[in-house]
């Protein structure tokens, strides 16, 4: 029986709360395999105690795991660039997790804020480039505090980096409805985004069966709201993918609904699986956090580990609970707590397995 070693970084705010619910659901779904969870107490508390977000050998520690399950990082009393560049972003970079795969799907029983839109209209996957672009971390400041102060942040796009995310996205589109939207701002940024467009078009020659739409990011943001049904697979740079998937989260029911997988297809390094949302300090500690994004991310983790049956059983349980019960957190109009939603998902999984549902 396979036993997967999973590093758990609950992190800050609602992170530990949603991850706890997710772990319970994944343990219930585990059949024919088991999950060995190891909690790593890294994050802003660790920073307050030690002056760093994780130990100096933290990335080497993570390298020994099969996957990383992360809640969220960030607390109002520590600067965000310190927390994120101290933990989350180095993990993505060290393991070269160049794909950030973010499904945007409105589940039955969840109300979208988009009037008259249902599950048939909102079903896409955003593939966010996750290793470079606006998040390359190149830049600096000079003449600090003087009137002549400058701040420089350089976007870095490489041919290899764009080509690999494009190829993955075309493959994904081919396995779905055959439509890929590539998002840039190549009207205003005539260097890297024009290069991006050229590379995507070159890769397109290998996928003539996929329809390629080139859309500028401002228009794409508007289309996500006005006509989400035009999107199947979306590929975007690191920053544009970040922004568009917050819009995506909201049209699929709210920040708490969205999941993400930081992966590389060859599985040579541990992937990191996390909800799209942050630490939500405004609701931390109240039991109001919606755990569905974290649970969904857990299902993506199982899928990536090769446990497809357990992964799809979790998603069926999520759909059933949202479509057939009132058990939901306040963001979805309910009164249930984070852990009550987790327990209800566990019940749905056990009921499905008892009735022999596949
Ligand atoms: P956020 O996603 O934490 O919160 C935005 C809004 O969504 C808030 O109103 C919040 O209450 C709501 N929300 C978020 N998750 C929810 C859930 N599970 N259920 C119900 N409502 C939910 O974004 P923010 O406020 O911009 O950031 C807060 C902190 O989190 C910052 O420090 C930021 O840097 C950090 N952050 C971390 C990650 C990450 O670790 N992956 C991602 C985004 C932001
Ligand atoms: C996300 C988050 C991170 C990002 C932040 C916290 C650095 O917003 O995963 O969407 O921008 O990648
Ligand atoms: Mn984000």
């Amino acid at each position: 029986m396979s036993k997967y070693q999973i590093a758990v970084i609950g992190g800050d705010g609602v992170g530990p709360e949603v991850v706890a619910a997710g772990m319970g659901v994944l343990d219930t779904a585990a059949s024919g395999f088991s999950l060995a969870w190891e909690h790593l107490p890294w994050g802003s508390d660790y920073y307050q105690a030690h002056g760093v977000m994780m130990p100096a050998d933290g990335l080497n520690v993570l390298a020994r795991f099969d996957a990383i399950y992360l809640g969220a990082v960030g607390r109002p009393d520590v600067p965000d660039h310190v927390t994120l560049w101290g933990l989350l972003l180095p993990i993505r970079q060290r393991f070269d997790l160049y794909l950030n795969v973010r499904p945007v799907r409105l589940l039955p029983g969840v109300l979208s804020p988009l009037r008259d839109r249902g599950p048939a209209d909102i079903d896409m996957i955003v593939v966010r480039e996750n290793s470079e672009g606006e998040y390359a971390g190149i830049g600096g400041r000079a003449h600090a505090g003087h009137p002549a102060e400058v701040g420089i942040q350089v976007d870095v796009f490489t041919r290899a980096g764009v080509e690999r995310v494009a190829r993955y996205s075309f493959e994904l589109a081919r396995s779905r409805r055959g439509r890929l939207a590539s998002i840039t701002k190549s009207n205003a940024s005539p260097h890297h985004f024009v290069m991006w467009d050229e590379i995507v078009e070159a890769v397109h020659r290998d996928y003539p069966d996929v329809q390629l739409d080139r859309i500028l990011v401002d228009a794409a943001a508007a289309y996500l709201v006005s006509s989400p049904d035009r999107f199947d697979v979306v590929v975007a740079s690191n920053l544009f993918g970040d922004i568009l998937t917050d819009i995506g989260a909201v049209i699929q029911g709210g920040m708490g609904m969205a999941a993400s997988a930081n992966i590389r297809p060859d599985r040579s390094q541990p992937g990191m699986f996390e909800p799209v949302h942050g630490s939500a300090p405004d609701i931390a500690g109240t039991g109001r956090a919606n755990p569905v994004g974290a649970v969904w991310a857990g299902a993506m983790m199982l899928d990536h580990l090769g446990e497809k049956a357990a992964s799809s059983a979790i998603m069926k349980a999520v759909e059933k609970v949202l479509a057939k019960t009132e058990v939901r957190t306040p963001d979805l109009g309910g009164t249930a707590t984070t852990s009550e939603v987790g327990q209800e998902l566990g019940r749905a999984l056990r009921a499905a397995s008892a009735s022999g549902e596949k």
Side-chain angles (χ1 to χ4, degrees), residues 62-132:
L62 291 175
R64 296 198 288 270
F65 287 87
D66 295 308
I68 303 159
Y69 191 41
L70 185 130
V73 185
R75 212 170 62 189
D77 58 343
V78 188
D80 282 332
H81 66 278
V82 171
T83 52
L84 277 317
W85 279 101
L87 188 54
L88 180 75
L89 298 173
I91 297 173
R92 291 180 182 162
Q93 294 207 341
R94 155 70 186 266
F95 300 120
D96 197 19
L97 302 172
Y98 65 89
L99 302 168
N100 195 327
V101 179
R102 299 185 156 188
V104 176
R105 186 156 71 89
L106 179 62
L107 302 180
V110 177
L111 201 59
S112 173
L114 301 183
R115 200 185 56 212
D116 303 332
R117 293 294 186 180
D121 303 308
I122 301 174
D123 179 7
M124 69 191 88
I125 296 182
V126 178
V127 181
R128 168 183 176 190
E129 202 293 318
N130 208 36
S131 68
E132 55 175 30

Side-chain angles (χ1 to χ4, degrees), residues 20-341:
M23 288 168 56
V25 173
L26 266 66
D27 277 334
T28 306
S31 155
F33 68 93
S34 67
L35 299 161
W37 307 98
E38 185 167 332
H39 286 271
L40 302 171
W42 304 346
S44 298
D45 284 344
Y46 192 93
Y47 179 83
Q48 298 293 23
H50 302 97
V52 283
M53 293 291 288
M54 64 175 150
D57 66 343
L59 295 172
N60 292 335
V61 170
L62 291 175
R64 296 198 288 270
F65 287 87
D66 295 308
I68 303 159
Y69 191 41
L70 185 130
V73 185
R75 212 170 62 189
D77 58 343
V78 188
D80 282 332
H81 66 278
V82 171
T83 52
L84 277 317
W85 279 101
L87 188 54
L88 180 75
L89 298 173
I91 297 173
R92 291 180 182 162
Q93 294 207 341
R94 155 70 186 266
F95 300 120
D96 197 19
L97 302 172
Y98 65 89
L99 302 168
N100 195 327
V101 179
R102 299 185 156 188
V104 176
R105 186 156 71 89
L106 179 62
L107 302 180
V110 177
L111 201 59
S112 173
L114 301 183
R115 200 185 56 212
D116 303 332
R117 293 294 186 180
D121 303 308
I122 301 174
D123 179 7
M124 69 191 88
I125 296 182
V126 178
V127 181
R128 168 183 176 190
E129 202 293 318
N130 208 36
S131 68
E132 55 175 30
E134 308 88 342
Y135 285 60
I138 304 292
R141 288 169 67 172
H143 314 304
H146 293 279
E149 181 166 3
V150 288
I152 296 175
Q153 188 85 40
V154 183
D155 300 352
V156 178
F157 289 75
T158 64
R159 178 168 286 276
V162 177
E163 189 172 334
R164 64 186 183 173
V165 72
R167 200 162 285 285
Y168 178 87
S169 304
F170 276 111
E171 288 287 341
L172 187 61
R174 178 177 270 176
S175 75
R176 288 172 50 95
R177 301 194 300 277
R179 207 163 164 185
L180 176 65
S182 168
I183 312 300
T184 63
K185 185 70 188 172
S186 42
N187 51 354
S189 298
H191 304 301
H192 54 33
F193 281 135
V194 171
M195 181 181 87
W196 171 294
D197 286 344
E198 288 170 7
I199 294 168
V200 168
E201 269 160 28
V203 177
H204 187 205
R205 283 182 218 122
D206 293 338
Y207 300 86
D209 49 313
V210 175
Q211 178 187 328
L212 172 66
D213 302 310
R214 274 178 39 192
I215 308 178
L216 297 167
V217 66
D218 43 355
Y223 288 143
L224 275 174
V225 175
S226 66
S227 39
D229 49 320
R230 66 180 289 148
F231 293 111
D232 176 12
V233 177
V234 177
V235 62
S237 70
N238 215 329
L239 181 63
F240 290 173
D242 175 49
I243 297 166
L244 293 178
T245 51
D246 264 32
I247 302 178
V250 167
I251 66 172
Q252 73 179 120
M255 285 311 301
M257 291 300 296
S260 81
N262 302 261
I263 54 170
R264 37 181 305 123
D266 69 4
R267 297 178 170 78
S268 61
Q269 305 289 340
M272 177 167 63
F273 301 83
E274 49 169 343
V276 167
H277 65 75
S279 55
D282 52 340
I283 56 166
T286 67
R288 294 169 68 87
N290 183 348
V292 170
V295 169
W296 192 332
M300 295 178 85
M301 177 167 82
L302 295 186
D303 181 73
H304 191 69
L305 291 169
E307 301 296 346
K308 313 272 178 205
S311 174
S312 70
I314 291 173
M315 290 315 296
K316 280 194 189 132
V318 169
E319 292 187 29
K320 197 185 266 175
V321 167
L322 291 173
K324 303 231 161 90
T325 80
E326 296 301 315
V327 181
R328 58 191 67 213
T329 43
D331 55 313
L332 299 181
T335 55
T337 63
T338 311
S339 65
E340 284 166 356
V341 172

